[in-house]
Amino acid sequence: MTLNEILIVREKLLADLDAMTGAGELDAFKLAHLTRKGTIAAMFDNLRAVSKEEKPLAGKELNLLRQSVEERFAEKEQLLGARRQEGLSHIDLTMPARTVPVTAPGHEHPLMKTLNEMISIFERMGFAVEYGPETEDDEHNFGKLNFPPDHPARDMQDTFFVKPSADWGAAVGAHHAGEGTGASSSMLTAPLLLRTHTSPVQIRLMEKQKPPIRAIMPGRVYRNEAASARSSAAFFQIEGLVVDRGVTMADLKGVLLSFARHFFGSDAKIRLRPSFFPFTEPSAEMDVSCYICGGKGCRVCQNSGWLEIMGAGMVHPNVLSGCGIDPETHSGYAFGFGIDRTTMMRYGVSDIRDLYENDYRFLEQF
Ligand code: DAH
């Protein structure tokens, strides 16, 4: 045993101790090196074989070895032993915490947020909520809504037509049987299409229910349009219908103003502009005062002070009589508007595709 060997063993044992991560390793180390039968004791035994001249120096070095290894062992034991006590030997308490996104538990999509808020406002005004099928027939989507046979809205350009399979009747009947204003009571007839608006649900409701009727009808609609920042082939609408004796345009205006004040703020104003829809007469488009600038003019309202919100009007006598309601004794109003456009205006979303791509970075802002 030379001086050099003593130094090498010392460095090796200290390095071993430094590398230890578990308390179990310490126990094994103690057994191998620090007991009566361990490495260090054996080296002391070997001192006898060292020459007289080298013995004092070797003894000194060996004492130094034992002392430094025992000290380092005690330090390590304290460190690892403390972790063992807390049962945390496998956890690194110095590791930085993982950040959890604030929105991780999930929340409503901005479209559904807008929709649910609108529904609850109308419910508080006494409106029922009705649903109809997304697959429609020409009669309900156009014919009974007083669209003439050659009306451009029926065009292939706008409407997605559905090619029925051999057993489509049974399939469609079964599919819609459970729906409130579904196709079970009045079956779908060819040609089939994806509804281009929620107005056919008005027809289904008047076919199955006698006045008084007071309902909103939310749902998804489809149009054969190329996707762009402003249009999507699928989007959402809410339809409204009130039919009773003596219903007037003043009732319509009152309900729409009330809705606007609840939805856009208590000092919102509305205005009705003359317009045309086949199923209403007279027809109007409703604008609401810009909720951003309050009507002064800004980027969102393109400096007009007004935002176009919805179509509305008095239900056309042809539509009422087509559903078995006498236009001499009853009248009604209807309205319909897009949920996507309103959501975009409300949150300043400039591209409708953002609402459908489900990019987490977009959604977590709501
Ligand atoms: N169905 C129309 C559309 O999709 C919107 C509409 C306008 C609905 C006037 C109505 C209404 O009920 O009275 O463009």
Side-chain angles (χ1 to χ4, degrees):
M1 186 172 64
T2 65
L3 275 177
N4 204 30
E5 278 168 352
I6 297 176
L7 285 177
I8 290 173
V9 170
R10 188 175 108 178
E11 290 314 308
K12 164 97 173 54
L13 293 185
L14 291 179
D16 283 355
L17 277 173
D18 283 343
M20 277 177 198
T21 54
E25 292 170 81
L26 268 186
D27 295 341
F29 183 93
K30 188 172 187 173
L31 206 66
H33 306 296
L34 296 176
T35 50
R36 277 292 319 133
K37 292 202 168 99
T39 321
I40 295 176
M43 287 172 89
F44 272 100
D45 286 346
N46 280 346
L47 264 184
R48 265 178 269 126
V50 175
S51 68
K52 246 197 174 121
E53 303 79 58
E54 284 194 21
K55 204 176 271 179
L57 205 56
K60 202 175 146 203
E61 282 303 326
L62 256 184
N63 274 324
L64 216 62
L65 179 151
R66 183 168 59 188
Q67 198 187 334
S68 54
V69 169
E70 278 175 355
E71 270 172 18
R72 190 70 58 90
F73 181 89
E75 279 169 28
K76 205 74 190 180
E77 195 175 38
Q78 206 178 21
L79 187 73
L80 297 180
R83 288 189 198 168
R84 174 158 55 180
Q85 229 174 24
E86 292 164 26
L88 297 174
S89 59
H90 59 293
I91 296 176
D92 180 356
L93 293 176
T94 63
M95 203 164 115
R98 215 174 282 153
T99 53
V100 180
V102 184
T103 52
H107 59 289
E108 277 182 318
H109 189 280
L111 275 177
M112 292 303 115
K113 224 166 147 163
T114 309
L115 176 62
N116 289 334
E117 225 176 286
M118 288 174 170
I119 289 177
S120 90
I121 292 172
F122 281 111
E123 277 180 335
R124 278 180 271 149
M125 292 196 280
F127 283 74
V129 185
E130 296 281 346
Y131 298 91
E134 294 182 11
T135 313
E136 262 300 358
D137 53 27
D138 186 272
E139 255 318 88
H140 288 87
N141 197 76
F142 296 123
K144 289 190 154 186
L145 285 162
N146 203 33
F147 281 78
D150 56 353
H151 194 281
R154 297 182 183 228
D155 204 292
M156 301 282 285
Q157 307 291 307
D158 299 315
T159 308
F160 284 118
F161 287 92
V162 181
K163 200 170 155 198
S165 61
D167 57 348
W168 67 270
V172 168
H175 179 67
H176 293 304
E179 293 186 21
T181 314
S184 54
S185 54
S186 64
M187 285 292 285
L188 295 168
T189 52
L192 291 184
L193 46 85
L194 297 182
R195 66 179 179 195
T196 59
H197 51 178
T198 42
S199 302
V201 193
Q202 287 187 34
I203 302 297
R204 294 195 173 276
L205 190 53
M206 287 188 277
E207 283 174 344
K208 74 158 194 181
Q209 188 188 321
K210 294 273 151 277
I213 293 171
R214 190 178 178 86
I216 53 164
M217 295 144 266
R220 200 193 296 263
V221 302
Y222 302 86
R223 283 185 203 171
N224 191 0
E225 279 174 17
S228 73
R230 295 186 62 91
S231 65
S232 155
F235 52 100
F236 287 87
Q237 287 188 338
I238 290 194
E239 195 78 14
L241 176 70
V242 171
V243 181
D244 204 347
R245 289 174 193 271
V247 174
T248 70
M249 194 100 180
D251 298 320
L252 168 66
K253 202 171 170 184
V255 161
L256 295 186
L257 178 61
S258 200
F259 168 76
R261 287 189 177 160
H262 279 97
F263 190 76
F264 291 104
S266 53
D267 38 45
K269 290 186 265 301
I270 63 165
R271 71 176 183 191
L272 295 174
R273 285 178 290 107
S275 184
F276 174 79
F277 300 100
F279 40 92
T280 44
E281 181 58 37
S283 301
E285 255 160 275
M286 186 189 102
D287 298 339
V288 63
S289 53
C290 179
Y291 66 98
I292 298 280
C293 63
K296 287 191 208 66
C298 70
R299 196 179 54 85
V300 171
C301 60
Q302 292 168 340
N303 278 322
S304 71
W306 295 96
L307 296 165
E308 190 189 316
I309 291 290
M310 67 174 94
M314 300 304 293
V315 182
H316 197 290
N318 290 354
V319 174
L320 290 175
S321 55
C323 296
I325 297 170
D326 184 355
E328 296 295 329
T329 56
H330 288 79
S331 57
Y333 65 77
F335 56 86
F337 57 104
I339 294 160
D340 305 64
R341 256 180 56 87
T342 317
T343 305
M344 289 167 73
M345 275 175 358
R346 191 177 190 207
Y347 296 116
V349 176
S350 54
D351 193 321
I352 192 172
R353 289 169 291 196
D354 286 337
L355 296 174
Y356 291 96
E357 280 167 2
N358 282 340
D359 186 327
Y360 190 71
R361 292 164 299 178
F362 172 77
L363 292 180
E364 70 181 349
Q365 298 174 69
F366 298 92

